[in-house]
Amino acid sequence: MEQGLKIQVEELFAEADLVKWFTTLRKAVKDVKDKNTMFREPLENLDSKLEELNPLIENIENKYSTKKKKKEKGVPKLKDELDQPKWEVGKMVKQIENGNELVRKCSKRTPWNVFHALQLGDLKKCLNRLLSILKEEGIRNVFGKMVVSRENLGSFTTLADVTVGLDEPLRDLKNMLLRDNNVSMVVLNGFGGYGKTTLAIKFCEDKEVKAIFNKNIFLVPISKEPKLEVIQALRQRMAGPDDPLLLVLDDVWSNSESLLREFYDLKLKKCKILVTSRIKFRGFGTPYNLKPLNHKDSMTLLRHSASLGDISPDQDLLEEVLEHCKGLPLAISVIGKSLRGKDTEFWRSSLADWFKGSIPDSESDAELLLSLQSSIDALGDNEAIIRECFMDLASFPEGQRISAAAFIDMWAELYNLDEDSLSITILHKLASRGLANLVITRNIEILDDYYIEHFVRQHDRLRDLAIYNAKLDPIEYRKRLIVVSGDNQPINASRLSISSGGLISLFRKGKYVQKSQPINARLLSISSDGKSSKQWTSVHLPQLEVLVLNFTTENNAVPEFAQKFDKLKALIVTNYGSLPTELSNFHLLKSLSNLKRIRLERISIHSITKNFVPLKSLKKISLYMCNIGQAFCNCSIKISDAWPGLKEMNIDYCHDLRELPAELCDLVHMEILSITNCHKLSALPEEIGKLKNLEVLRLRSCTDLERLPVSIERLTKLYRLDMYNCFTIKELPKDIDKMSSLRMINVGQCLRLDELPVSVSVLDVQLEKVICDEEKKDLWELFIAREKIKVAKEQPNLNWLEMPPL
């Protein structure tokens, strides 16, 4: 398995012709380095780096010179599973390809010598990055782990900002797993929020542990529904390891006993297994119970979470908070953040309110949920919307990474948050209070307010808290309904059905209780595991504005009752399977005269357009990781007739989009068109000039896009053009000055854009900002005032490893 993982990374480079361009660059450097004294030192540095890389490149050439390896059975190709590594590989190979021409230019004395020197520095950075990837640690510890736990690795790449009370448990685990040859599996038990996962990460990061297991350390989240592809990969990896191997199975639920038994029965001498679970599995390995924090550690964590520093508030208040939290790290952290920056009177009033709280249904969760409830109660009247948005987070399944764009669409309709930045501000506030985890996969200093790289995670205990709060009101008065259709029910969430006459059926303790009341919920979330409930066949919610559908199976459908939601404004459909799925019954939406927003994730658009239906009120549609292909071509009706009022279209991470369908250019009322991270997109239609009302055009990270059509000059209302990381584009339109409304242009990471048309100088009067790279700054300063030019700086991070599979 490990060898297969390594081959997948090398194959990605081989398919991108790395060997060819590396060899060409190496020859060019040797030919040119002594011809121009100005470049002798940087070229000698390049030569040294190329020599260091050469054995690794030769290794790739030897493996793939005869024919490309076939995909191993049961192990998906990395390039098909993770688009971000492919994007990075493509970017590096392109830069090395361009490096040959750059080095040849350095043999001549030209006015551009200073600019070429900057480019050589950037080329060296690229080679350094390539070297780090091809080294053993880069291949096995980064890319290798992606295949095992690619969806959740980002959750385990860093520890919490502060960890306390784990030194002794860490020593105990090391004694049990490292020094006792009779112990092959340890089951780490503890209440939700005790820090089991944090301890497991700390164990994996320990120097002694790393020294023993080298790079063979795999931390895999299991949760309620173990992913079959992950289990298959683990089985292959565990088939008689040659070197010591550590496997951490995190958050194992009670329905996974057979999984534990399978791994426990292997009892391989060189393999150690650490399991974290709230369940005390009997008969599996050695149990270890994680205890609550002691008083000293609890106080340290509270002071840190509340940012007290040297401030010494009333000690009695601190003691009361700790008494309330019962030594639970998650509760201390969340409550501490909710009290951060508050005065003593606020602390006192909060404590008084906390002790009045009611107890949840589940006794086992009572203490923690009651402790966490205080963080919700601490939100003042002026923060009511923060409380409402926190409960909305539970509209999505636990353990999933949720796109922030979904909340933008949801909250725009529920709370009239017209500006997307307002929703992002709320997510930041939730994160600052410890109520959510906001993950930004790419940290770019200068980008506009398009938040496709922002994602949200929520601890399952906090999701339980959100559901608990959503259930406090009688069902007929609830603002939101969160329901799982099928056998898997969320904690404390009743099964219910609502007939067209308003009759509510609640499933409680084995029997149905019926009451005739209308329900005025504005948000309905349904998570389907494929076992549809007959009780949902005639649902009617007269006030419903937002419908969230979460699927985990193939061939899903818009529920029949959706056609009765007359006031529905936003539809969000997310498929959590590994591949895009069909979505039938889309035609039922044609009667919804108020539907303004549709967001689809991992959906095959062919299933929608083959029976196209008019949606006269639709203003915005977002397609994320969808299969598009030629879906908008040869439809039953013209797209301009189906969506006559569409103003915004977003197409993100749609890996099969090769050419934008010309039919989309008939949407003449469109004001915003965003196409990002569609790495196979190679062309835009010449008809794009028909979008006469277009104001924003984003083509971010469309790495195969070679040119902009000439007709783009006719977009006289366009004020923002974003081509960040379109590193294949070589030139801008000759008469770009005809775009009389252009105010901002982003050409950061456009590596091959070496020349600008003379007409750019005409734009100097109207342009307010040009974003480019440091090495391209001199080029733009020839035409545009220096103060208008901003340098794009991207801060590197590993959050992009969380990219879900395509």
Side-chain angles (χ1 to χ4, degrees):
M1 171 75 176
E2 179 181 308
Q3 182 182 3
L5 296 176
K6 184 173 179 180
I7 287 175
Q8 290 169 359
V9 178
E10 293 176 344
E11 183 179 358
L12 200 56
F13 281 108
E15 291 184 353
D17 287 333
L18 173 65
V19 175
K20 169 186 173 183
W21 295 115
F22 177 86
T23 304
T24 303
L25 175 62
R26 187 162 172 250
K27 184 178 185 303
V29 170
K30 291 187 180 299
D31 291 344
V32 173
K33 66 178 181 177
D34 295 324
K35 292 184 178 180
N36 189 336
T37 56
M38 178 179 180
F39 295 111
R40 180 174 298 165
E41 183 176 350
L43 287 175
E44 285 180 349
N45 290 335
L46 282 180
D47 190 38
S48 175
K49 188 62 62 178
L50 290 166
E51 288 301 314
E52 189 176 359
L53 274 163
N54 192 51
L56 298 173
I57 302 297
E58 286 181 347
N59 184 50
I60 295 177
E61 183 180 22
N62 292 336
K63 287 184 178 182
Y64 296 94
S65 58
T66 56
K67 62 178 181 179
K68 294 180 179 178
K69 300 284 185 179
K70 292 184 178 180
K71 183 170 63 176
E72 292 185 12
K73 184 177 181 181
V75 182
K77 271 192 177 181
L78 184 64
K79 72 182 184 67
D80 292 331
E81 290 296 313
L82 292 160
D83 217 48
Q84 189 72 18
K86 184 183 178 184
W87 164 80
E88 187 174 14
V89 167
K91 176 181 175 180
M92 284 190 290
V93 173
K94 283 286 185 182
Q95 195 164 353
I96 291 172
E97 175 188 348
N98 296 337
N100 172 54
E101 182 180 356
L102 169 64
V103 170
R104 297 295 180 187
K105 288 179 181 178
C106 292
S107 64
K108 304 175 183 178
R109 296 184 179 274
T110 71
W112 297 100
N113 277 169
V114 175
F115 183 52
H116 294 335
L118 294 173
Q119 289 180 306
L120 287 176
D122 195 54
L123 179 58
K124 183 181 177 182
K125 293 178 184 178
C126 173
L127 295 178
N128 281 329
R129 175 64 180 141
L130 176 61
L131 182 63
S132 68
I133 288 178
L134 289 181
K135 282 183 176 179
E136 193 70 5
E137 181 171 350
I139 294 173
R140 294 168 63 186
N141 196 38
V142 177
F143 287 101
K145 285 166 70 177
M146 272 194 277
V147 175
V148 177
S149 58
R150 57 181 178 271
E151 288 188 305
N152 296 294
L153 181 59
S155 303
F156 307 112
T157 54
T158 57
L159 288 171
D161 53 354
V162 64
T163 58
V164 296
L166 296 182
D167 291 341
E168 182 179 346
L170 178 61
R171 285 194 298 270
D172 292 341
L173 288 182
K174 288 165 66 175
N175 287 331
M176 298 168 72
L177 278 170
L178 305 186
R179 298 175 179 86
D180 191 337
N181 293 329
N182 295 321
V183 175
S184 61
M185 176 185 286
V186 170
V187 181
L188 175 61
N189 298 119
F191 192 63
Y194 267 24
K196 300 183 297 297
T197 298
T198 303
L199 176 57
I201 299 170
K202 197 174 181 69
F203 183 80
C204 293
E205 294 296 322
D206 183 81
K207 291 183 179 179
E208 185 179 358
V209 174
K210 285 183 174 181
I212 292 175
F213 297 102
N214 197 6
K215 307 304 184 297
N216 293 323
I217 299 176
F218 298 92
L219 195 158
V220 185
I222 301 299
S223 299
K224 181 185 294 186
E225 297 292 335
K227 294 186 177 297
L228 293 179
E229 62 269 25
V230 173
I231 303 306
Q232 291 173 358
L234 287 175
R235 289 189 182 118
Q236 294 187 33
R237 184 63 187 88
M238 300 285 288
D242 296 327
D243 300 311
L245 180 146
L246 173 63
L247 173 62
V248 180
L249 303 176
D250 185 60
D251 192 23
V252 177
W253 285 50
S254 58
N255 62 339
S256 297
E257 283 195 13
S258 59
L259 174 65
L260 286 188
R261 183 175 300 280
E262 179 177 350
F263 288 113
Y264 180 67
D265 288 344
L266 288 174
K267 293 185 178 179
L268 301 170
K269 291 183 179 181
K270 294 185 178 181
C271 180
K272 298 287 186 175
I273 302 175
L274 175 61
V275 177
T276 74
S277 178
R278 297 172 214 162
I279 310 299
K280 292 184 178 181
F281 292 101
R282 305 296 182 184
F284 296 102
T286 305
Y288 184 84
N289 189 40
L290 188 59
K291 299 177 181 178
L293 296 179
N294 59 33
H295 181 272
K296 179 181 177 181
D297 290 331
S298 295
M299 184 64 74
T300 300
L301 182 57
L302 175 60
R303 296 187 67 88
H304 173 82
S305 300
S307 298
L308 295 180
D310 297 330
I311 302 173
S312 298
D314 190 328
Q315 186 66 23
D316 290 340
L317 287 177
L318 295 177
E319 296 293 344
E320 286 187 59
V321 172
L322 293 186
E323 175 63 25
H324 184 65
C325 294
K326 308 297 183 184
L328 304 181
L330 178 62
I332 295 172
S333 179
V334 171
I335 291 175
K337 289 179 180 179
S338 72
L339 296 171
R340 183 182 294 172
K342 306 297 184 181
D343 57 29
T344 300
E345 287 306 313
F346 185 88
W347 281 59
R348 292 186 189 281
S349 62
S350 296
L351 281 166
D353 291 339
W354 295 344
F355 289 116
K356 297 177 184 178
S358 58
I359 302 297
D361 297 339
S362 173
E363 293 182 4
S364 64
D365 285 342
E367 288 189 1
L368 178 57
L369 288 184
L370 185 55
S371 295
L372 295 179
Q373 179 63 36
S374 60
S375 63
I376 305 302
D377 297 337
L379 296 172
D381 293 338
N382 61 334
E383 296 177 301
I385 190 172
I386 305 296
R387 184 185 299 108
E388 294 296 326
C389 290
F390 167 72
M391 288 186 279
D392 292 337
L393 297 186
S395 302
F396 298 88
E398 64 184 30
Q400 298 291 344
R401 196 191 67 167
I402 311 160
S403 175
F407 294 112
I408 288 175
D409 286 335
M410 179 187 296
W411 294 338
E413 301 305 332
L414 291 177
Y415 311 121
N416 296 318
L417 300 181
D418 295 331
E419 296 183 25
D420 294 355
S421 58
L422 295 176
S423 295
I424 298 299
T425 298
I426 288 176
L427 290 175
H428 277 289
K429 289 183 178 180
L430 289 170
S432 68
R433 288 161 172 78
L435 296 173
N437 181 22
L438 185 60
V439 178
I440 303 176
T441 56
R442 298 189 67 188
N443 189 5
I444 305 172
E445 288 185 3
I446 304 179
L447 284 180
D448 61 8
D449 53 351
Y450 190 58
Y451 301 101
I452 198 61
E453 282 89 16
H454 288 59
F455 298 88
V456 181
R457 283 192 185 276
Q458 188 178 39
H459 191 283
D460 52 1
R461 296 293 86 185
L462 292 171
R463 184 174 185 272
D464 294 344
L465 179 65
I467 293 176
Y468 167 65
N469 275 269
K471 284 169 49 64
L472 291 178
D473 294 326
I475 191 168
E476 56 268 25
Y477 298 114
R478 292 179 194 170
K479 299 177 182 178
R480 60 189 61 74
L481 295 177
I482 302 170
V483 179
V484 171
S485 174
D487 292 338
N488 297 323
Q489 302 296 319
I491 186 169
N492 292 329
S494 302
R495 302 183 190 184
L496 64 146
S497 64
I498 306 141
S499 69
S500 57
L503 183 66
I504 308 166
S505 297
L506 298 176
F507 186 75
R508 290 176 177 162
K509 297 181 180 180
K511 62 180 180 179
Y512 279 97
V513 179
Q514 293 187 336
K515 53 193 301 187
S516 181
Q517 289 285 345
I519 288 190
N520 294 316
R522 299 175 64 199
L523 167 63
L524 171 62
S525 168
I526 302 177
S527 296
S528 171
D529 57 8
K531 301 173 183 178
S532 59
S533 172
K534 294 181 179 179
Q535 285 83 30
W536 282 92
T537 55
S538 57
V539 173
H540 178 61
L541 301 174
Q543 302 301 321
L544 195 72
E545 293 180 304
V546 177
L547 174 61
V548 178
L549 301 176
N550 302 302
F551 297 124
T552 58
T553 58
E554 297 180 359
N555 300 320
N556 297 287
V558 174
E560 301 234 355
F561 53 78
Q563 60 187 317
K564 300 179 181 179
F565 298 154
D566 299 333
K567 294 187 177 181
L568 190 69
K569 296 178 180 179
L571 172 67
I572 301 171
V573 183
T574 305
N575 161 39
Y576 291 98
S578 58
L579 296 173
T581 182
E582 299 287 314
L583 181 65
S584 57
N585 282 352
F586 195 79
H587 66 279
L588 298 176
L589 304 178
K590 64 182 179 181
S591 61
L592 305 183
S593 58
N594 291 299
L595 185 60
K596 295 191 295 184
R597 296 170 180 258
I598 294 178
R599 177 175 180 81
L600 306 176
E601 296 193 18
R602 293 192 189 89
I603 299 296
S604 175
I605 306 304
H606 297 271
S607 58
I608 294 174
T609 59
K610 63 183 179 183
N611 293 311
F612 225 176
V613 295
L615 298 171
K616 301 296 184 182
S617 299
L618 189 65
K619 304 298 181 185
K620 176 182 178 181
I621 186 165
S622 301
L623 309 176
Y624 180 83
M625 298 185 79
C626 293
N627 274 354
I628 294 183
Q630 299 298 312
F632 293 104
C633 303
N634 302 318
C635 299
S636 54
I637 59 174
K638 293 179 61 176
I639 189 172
S640 56
D641 293 333
W643 301 339
L646 193 71
K647 292 188 175 183
E648 180 174 353
M649 173 175 278
N650 303 319
I651 304 175
D652 307 296
Y653 290 96
C654 294
H655 70 282
D656 70 332
L657 181 64
R658 298 180 180 275
E659 185 172 345
L660 189 71
E663 287 81 357
L664 296 181
C665 299
D666 292 329
L667 298 167
V668 294
H669 296 290
M670 189 143 58
E671 298 174 356
I672 300 175
L673 175 60
S674 300
I675 309 172
T676 74
N677 296 281
C678 296
H679 303 305
K680 293 182 181 178
L681 179 68
S682 59
L684 296 176
E686 190 62 37
E687 291 86 348
I688 199 169
K690 294 164 60 177
L691 298 176
K692 57 184 179 181
N693 290 298
L694 199 64
E695 298 176 357
V696 176
L697 177 60
R698 298 186 184 95
L699 303 169
R700 191 182 304 169
S701 293
C702 291
T703 54
D704 276 359
L705 187 62
E706 297 181 353
R707 54 177 292 272
L708 298 178
V710 175
S711 68
I712 200 173
E713 300 166 352
R714 301 206 301 268
L715 303 181
T716 56
K717 291 187 178 181
L718 193 76
Y719 70 84
R720 178 178 294 168
L721 177 60
D722 184 351
M723 300 188 299
Y724 184 84
N725 196 39
C726 290
F727 56 72
T728 307
I729 288 183
K730 296 182 178 180
E731 58 185 19
L732 296 177
K734 180 180 179 182
D735 295 324
I736 194 173
D737 58 307
K738 292 181 179 179
M739 302 168 72
S740 55
S741 298
L742 198 60
R743 296 293 181 268
M744 192 279 282
I745 182 169
N746 189 338
V747 288
Q749 294 295 304
C750 291
L751 303 179
R752 304 185 71 176
L753 188 61
D754 292 332
E755 297 181 10
L756 299 178
V758 177
S759 60
V760 168
S761 60
V762 181
L763 295 177
D764 186 34
V765 177
Q766 67 188 59
L767 275 178
E768 298 173 359
K769 183 188 297 184
V770 173
I771 301 173
C772 65
D773 300 314
E774 182 68 41
E775 58 268 30
K776 303 288 185 181
K777 187 177 180 182
D778 292 342
L779 176 63
W780 281 92
E781 286 181 351
L782 295 175
F783 303 95
I784 304 297
R786 178 176 300 179
E787 63 272 11
K788 295 182 180 181
I789 301 173
K790 308 297 179 182
V791 175
K793 296 181 180 179
E794 182 168 354
Q795 300 298 325
N797 65 62
L798 293 180
N799 289 336
W800 58 268
L801 293 178
E802 279 196 276
M803 286 300 300
L806 290 177

